[in-house]
Amino acid sequence: MKAPSFDIVVIGGGHAGIEAALAAARLGASSALVTHALDEIGRMPCNPAIGGLGKGHLVREIDVLGGEMGLAIDETGIQFRVLNRKKGPAVQSPRAQADKHAYQRRMMQAVLDQPGLTVFAADAAGMTATHGAVSEVLLADGRTLGCRRAVLCSGTFLRGLMHVGDRKTIGGREGAASSEGLSGGLTALGLQLKRLKTGTPPRLHRDGIDYSRLQAQAGDDPPQPFSFRTAALVVDQVECHLAYTTEETHRIITAGLDRSPLFGGVIEGQGPRYCPSIEDKVVRFADKDRHLLFLEPEGLDTEEIYVNGLSTSLPADIQEAVVRSVPGLERARILRYGYAVEYDSVPSWQVHPSLETKPVAGLYLAGQILGTSGYEEAAAQGLVAGINAVRSLDGRPPLELGRDQAYIGVLVDDLVTKEINEPYRMFTSRAEHRLHLRCDNVEARLGDLAREVALLPAHALDLLDLRSAMVAAVERQLRRTSVFLKDRGLRVMASDYLRFPEGSWAGLRASTQTVDEFWNMVDFETKKLSAGGAGHLVQGALAQVENDIKYDGYIAKHNKLLRHREHLDHLELPLELNYRDMTALSFEAREKLDRIRPATLGQAGRIDGVRAGDLAVLTVYMKKYAASGEADR
Amino acid sequence: MNPAPLPTIAAQATPVGESGLAVVRVSGPDALAVTARIFEGGPFRGGALVGAVESHRAVYGILADPVFEPSANEKTSCVIDQVLVLPLLAPHGYTGEDTVEFFCHGGRVVPDLVVRACLAAGAEPAGPGEFTRRAFLNGKLSLDQAEAVADLIHATGELGARAAIRQLQGGLDDQMRGIEHPLLQLLAEIEGSLEFLDDEDVSVPAERAAAVLREAVAGIDRLLDVAPAGRILREGFHVVLAGAPNAGKSSLFNALLGEDRAIVDDEAGTTRDVVAGKRIRRGQAYILHDTAGLRGDAARVELLGIQRTYRTLAEADVILYLTEADAPRDPEPEVLELVNSAQPSIPLITVWTKGDLADAGRRAGPHPAPEAGRGGAAAAILTSSRTGSGLDEVWRALESVAAGYRLDEALSLGVVMNARHQHKLEECRRDLVLLADELEQNHPGGEVTGTMLAAILGRLGEVSGRVFSEQVLEAVFRRFCVGK
């Protein structure tokens, strides 16, 4: 029997694999998705939530570019909150608790219903490369899938090893097998591997928790959706609860440290600093007498409660004692113990900004395998890898987002230039252009690109058009309307009024006399959007206009600060440069440049260990190189 | 893509002038061959290499003009000096190439002959800073170090050399670290407050952030304050002699430089009208500029010459304003105005010339000299270039003005900046002040302050060579438990 053959085979049905497979199929490539089991698709093995600081930005961007994540969480979220409401709009980010089973079913359905996508419930055992290009995916049951491109999204499954105290289990996560064979296959293909580590907290049964002693935390009212395609959220929101560890908790943990694989040196991989285990926190922040825990329901049809903040790999008996030392959890029952998992990742300097690997043509990597952490980071890469795999089929240039365009651009650029020593999580502080990269202007930032990417259906593109027309109309009218400010004793343009810290739409509406015409225009535009099914985008458009104005001056100043480096991003470095012979570079710079092979001088400058002096040297060599190239011709 | 090998170069590596010992350096692929042609001793015998040359092991012997016909029975060459030869084989020498250093007798003559011998033996003359450039290209020096060495080469006096050496040892780096660290901590605190959970509200008060920025500005100011000192240590102290025609400028110029002056030459490539000479006193180089005479009725006289004088005045560290002690009339007001307007704030010393002439005492009373003693300089000094009287007083006045430039402070900070450092620091200072003003006036949110501060730190990193992005996160993680 002839082996089935596809344009694109995606390995892994996690958050990266889903976006990669859906994007590939939707762009018209014949595609396959290989997953251990159908009910593995879209699982949330760790925190049952989507979004969060920096991550919410990623989800909004994935959504506008045509990804699935935003729609899925909007349909299956059980509590929606915008984080950082007390901070500036640029660093506010949506987050939602998911009903994890509903989310999985929603994603499984999307995958199964997708025309042009065939799903194989099987283990991937390896890949074959022919003439340096990937050509086949081998399944553990002996079948072979021919492919022109492959996207590997194997998450934490590569040689996964779970730790609960000194008990070790081979597996990618609780209750799932690991992929043992793929690691060796990747090494054979010329990729280097590196051990990373992450962890998860215990899950409690909801019945043993004394909620009367915990502080409840409700969702936003009204809740705000992630996707611009979601007209309204239909959700009966649940509450989360706050609990605190005690000095007794810390005493128990300190006494059990010698039985922690983390501290006993059993775990070789580097864990994330930003998501420390509770034993880490107790040791590192010894002066804090309590740590905050969030009790988050994992769904409507499950009794499981996720204890956010209590990630641990301590032995089971210590976990029991730790939980019971928390006021309100004295009688709580642990359904699943927390564990640490070690896994193989592929250090991300081995991929191009397209996410195609450097040694194997046609092989793309996305998600945790590249050393990131989080569903959102994974989904963003899956989307990029899926789009680029298809583009490369007919020789089109890859989609590459700039650091000044999107958090996805920051993510990918960081991956290809940074040495990842711990699972990489997005933070707003990673985005130097964060005043511009806001959640409220994603449609404006990426609308044109979304049209070029062509993943969005026509009606969604219409929504984007209606929204941008409204933004333009409001901006125009703001510059034509003047208001008198009693407090300041000034008459100013409405656009300048919004620039003031106290300037707001409500304040503008209160100055009725001269701005009636303005609001008539806004009402008129609002009706247009409502008629086009985009009424739900009005508030977001107004928020964007206001924040654009408020940040405008700062963005201009900031761009001036960065201007002297900006041109570096346009200076391309030939990929074949012989860095090893550039003895004027520092040894560290030589070694890293040789390994990473940045595409531009700007990227070179962002590599840790490449100094301003090294850049100066590189410019000299580039001039020489260009000159010798001329001479050759 | 290997470029053609660089030629072998030779030059005196120690400052030209009076000294007991001088070093002539030969660097490049033919350094050993060149040595063999002019040196007899150790493995260098009869114009060829016999046996292996050991790196970093000095050999004593005779240096002579090259022998081109080894068959000749008699050496026709002329012995130049007894020298010590130190071979430094690639990649261990200063330049990273094969290098040979000749330690010969000092003075002006012998080192020159040694260099000529090297050139005759096939080396090419090294351009200014070329050894350093090669060291840099061969990865022996970082850019900052190369800049410091370049300064060292151009350092005219001993003090300058010492400051440059301190920079090689990281003086500027230490100072920069002191400025950057509090900013980094502030940024970490701001970023931590942004990534922190809503439920434990922490934010950095704008006033406190502004205070940290102002502190950094003060730190930069301390560095910028000694920046002119760095230039003076590096280039020398510019003394400009100005005054009406025939005020005795050229006589005083020559008298001050003296017979034993180190170097006197026309300033290369500049004007006929401004002549410069150098004199080193107590380890500090002074560059004296003799200028064209200034007249009030500028329209009638050589306008060009006056403009050149004016430009020279604008670059002066101190101005000697010369006026004849027995002048028939007071200096023309226009001349004074011109001298004063060039640089109103720098020290100006009034010097009465031709004090030996009869009737000079006529001017002993109160004088209408222009702002005598301005800028902490001495009051007017009576001199005679013919008898030499008052010259020591002029020198003491100059030394006292030089001391006012806080050269010692620059030395103790170990900071000698070049123009690039100074320019970047001035930019960072301006940006920090703007941000501090903004914080105090408008209380922007942490996301704004953090974004701006990160960019400014990035620019400071261009002076210090440090990169902060990961350090910020590291500092955040060290101080905060970040969630969600």
Side-chain angles (χ1 to χ4, degrees), chain B residues 211-380:
Chain B
V212 174
L213 300 188
R214 303 258 183 234
E215 194 54 44
V217 168
I220 292 177
D221 280 342
R222 281 192 291 276
L223 285 182
L224 288 176
D225 271 356
V226 297
R231 182 187 51 70
I232 289 169
L233 288 169
R234 205 166 59 240
E235 293 176 10
F237 191 75
H238 290 280
V239 182
V240 177
L241 285 69
N246 300 319
K249 294 181 299 296
S250 296
S251 303
L252 185 66
F253 174 78
N254 285 325
L256 286 173
L257 287 175
E259 293 279 313
D260 59 343
R261 63 194 184 222
I263 302 162
V264 179
D265 50 18
D266 287 357
E267 200 168 81
T270 56
T271 73
R272 289 160 296 151
D273 309 12
V274 178
V275 178
K278 188 185 292 177
R279 168 110 187 232
I280 294 177
R281 279 178 66 99
R282 297 175 202 275
Q284 171 63 48
Y286 294 82
I287 298 162
L288 273 57
H289 301 265
D290 186 15
T291 61
L294 293 167
R295 284 178 211 266
D297 49 352
R300 210 174 52 79
V301 294
E302 319 89 335
L303 195 58
L304 195 62
I306 290 179
Q307 281 179 352
R308 283 175 183 149
T309 300
Y310 191 75
R311 275 203 300 274
T312 309
L313 282 168
E315 288 168 9
D317 296 309
V318 61
I319 294 170
L320 294 181
Y321 181 78
L322 274 61
T323 176
E324 289 175 80
D326 65 342
R329 57 194 174 88
D330 293 337
E332 295 176 51
E334 292 88 346
V335 174
L336 298 187
E337 201 184 316
L338 195 58
V339 171
N340 275 326
S341 64
Q343 281 198 86
S345 60
I346 67 151
L348 181 144
I349 302 168
T350 302
V351 178
W352 294 322
T353 55
K354 310 181 187 178
D356 54 306
L357 294 185
D359 212 16
R362 179 166 72 83
R363 284 208 147 204
H367 286 281
E371 297 179 41
R374 194 182 69 190

Side-chain angles (χ1 to χ4, degrees), chain B residues 96-166:
Chain B
E97 306 169 323
D98 277 351
T99 305
V100 176
E101 292 183 348
F102 296 94
F103 293 76
C104 58
H105 287 100
R108 297 183 61 80
V109 179
V110 175
D112 199 40
L113 289 174
V114 175
V115 171
R116 282 164 196 261
C118 293
L119 302 187
E124 292 181 17
E130 195 165 351
F131 291 122
T132 301
R133 201 169 60 85
R134 290 192 177 191
F136 174 59
L137 282 176
N138 288 324
K140 303 290 287 186
L141 292 173
S142 75
L143 183 65
D144 277 357
Q145 285 173 325
E147 280 170 347
V149 173
D151 288 346
L152 187 62
I153 290 164
H154 297 129
T156 40
E158 185 198 334
L159 283 177
R162 251 165 50 200
I165 286 165
R166 282 291 295 276

Side-chain angles (χ1 to χ4, degrees), chain A residues 183-245:
Chain A
S183 274
L186 290 178
T187 314
L189 288 172
L191 289 161
Q192 290 180 31
L193 302 178
K194 175 175 184 164
R195 279 314 245 179
L196 284 179
K197 180 200 85 180
T198 188
T200 189
R203 312 304 204 273
L204 308 180
H205 194 290
R206 77 168 80 213
D207 287 350
I209 299 170
D210 182 359
Y211 286 106
S212 70
R213 300 179 58 197
L214 302 178
Q215 185 190 333
Q217 189 176 53
D220 288 344
D221 185 25
Q224 185 182 310
F226 283 81
S227 174
F228 76 97
R229 290 172 272 174
T230 302
L233 285 175
V234 187
V235 56
D236 194 6
Q237 294 196 78
V238 300
E239 288 181 335
C240 292
H241 289 83
L242 311 185
Y244 292 93
T245 59

Side-chain angles (χ1 to χ4, degrees), chain A residues 118-156:
Chain A
T118 309
V119 180
F120 291 86
D123 284 345
M127 279 170 291
T128 314
T130 311
H131 305 303
V134 70
S135 55
E136 285 173 335
V137 171
L138 314 174
L139 303 184
D141 58 19
R143 282 182 293 176
T144 299
L145 306 179
C147 64
R148 297 168 66 196
R149 305 284 183 270
V151 185
L152 180 60
C153 316
S154 56
T156 61

Side-chain angles (χ1 to χ4, degrees), chain A residues 221-429:
Chain A
D221 185 25
Q224 185 182 310
F226 283 81
S227 174
F228 76 97
R229 290 172 272 174
T230 302
L233 285 175
V234 187
V235 56
D236 194 6
Q237 294 196 78
V238 300
E239 288 181 335
C240 292
H241 289 83
L242 311 185
Y244 292 93
T245 59
T246 61
E247 289 183 7
E248 171 66 5
T249 318
H250 300 184
R251 199 193 54 74
I252 296 168
I253 290 168
T254 311
L257 279 183
D258 58 335
R259 293 171 64 201
S260 158
L262 266 171
F263 284 85
V266 176
I267 293 184
E268 33 180 301
Q270 160 87 45
R273 290 169 299 177
Y274 50 81
C275 182
S277 63
I278 189 69
E279 48 264 46
D280 245 348
K281 287 193 222 177
V282 168
V283 171
R284 273 167 48 196
F285 303 98
D287 55 324
K288 280 196 90 173
D289 52 10
R290 64 176 199 177
H291 290 282
L292 178 60
L293 307 176
F294 295 88
L295 301 185
E296 299 171 340
E298 296 215 333
L300 298 176
D301 63 349
T302 167
E303 310 304 318
E304 280 181 288
I305 302 292
Y306 181 93
V307 191
N308 194 346
L310 200 66
S311 172
T312 182
S313 60
L314 287 165
D317 57 312
I318 298 182
Q319 290 194 29
E320 300 271 3
V322 163
V323 165
R324 288 187 182 141
S325 70
V326 175
L329 304 184
E330 291 89 346
R331 273 187 287 278
R333 194 149 51 83
I334 295 183
L335 290 173
R336 286 194 285 153
Y337 291 102
Y339 59 89
V341 57
E342 283 184 281
Y343 55 96
D344 281 347
S345 68
V346 177
S348 52
W349 50 264
Q350 296 170 98
V351 295
H352 294 289
S354 64
L355 300 184
E356 185 179 14
T357 61
K358 291 172 181 173
V360 189
L363 174 61
Y364 293 73
L365 303 181
Q368 262 177 307
I369 189 171
L370 278 183
T372 61
S373 150
Y375 313 139
E376 305 81 358
E377 287 85 348
Q381 293 166 66
L383 182 67
V384 170
I387 291 168
N388 286 338
V390 175
R391 287 187 165 213
S392 77
L393 285 174
D394 33 68
R396 280 191 298 153
L399 167 72
E400 288 180 18
L401 292 157
R403 295 182 70 91
D404 55 353
Q405 257 183 312
Y407 272 80
I408 299 177
V410 174
L411 169 67
V412 172
D413 186 70
D414 278 352
L415 285 179
V416 299
T417 58
K418 282 198 182 350
E419 198 80 25
I420 309 268
N421 289 318
E422 63 181 335
Y424 176 103
R425 181 214 199 275
M426 185 48 73
F427 289 104
T428 68
S429 61

Side-chain angles (χ1 to χ4, degrees), chain A residues 84 87-88 217 273-274 284 294 296 425 427-430 434 551 554 561 564 583-584 611 617 625, chain B residues 1 136-137 139 191 193-195 197-199 431 438 444 447 451-452 462 465 473-474 477 482 484:
Chain A
N84 258 354
K87 313 280 164 49
Q217 189 176 53
R273 290 169 299 177
Y274 50 81
R284 273 167 48 196
F294 295 88
E296 299 171 340
R425 181 214 199 275
F427 289 104
T428 68
S429 61
R430 295 196 193 272
R434 71 177 164 200
Y551 279 122
Y554 293 121
L561 284 173
H564 65 297
T583 44
R611 306 285 170 86
V617 174
Y625 185 84
Chain B
M1 198 195 78
F136 174 59
L137 282 176
E191 294 301 327
S193 76
L194 294 178
E195 310 286 3
L197 299 177
D198 282 343
D199 309 85
D431 294 333
E438 180 68 27
E447 82 281 16
T451 303
M452 298 292 181
E462 288 170 27
L473 281 176
E474 181 66 46
F477 297 143
V482 187
K484 293 209 179 181

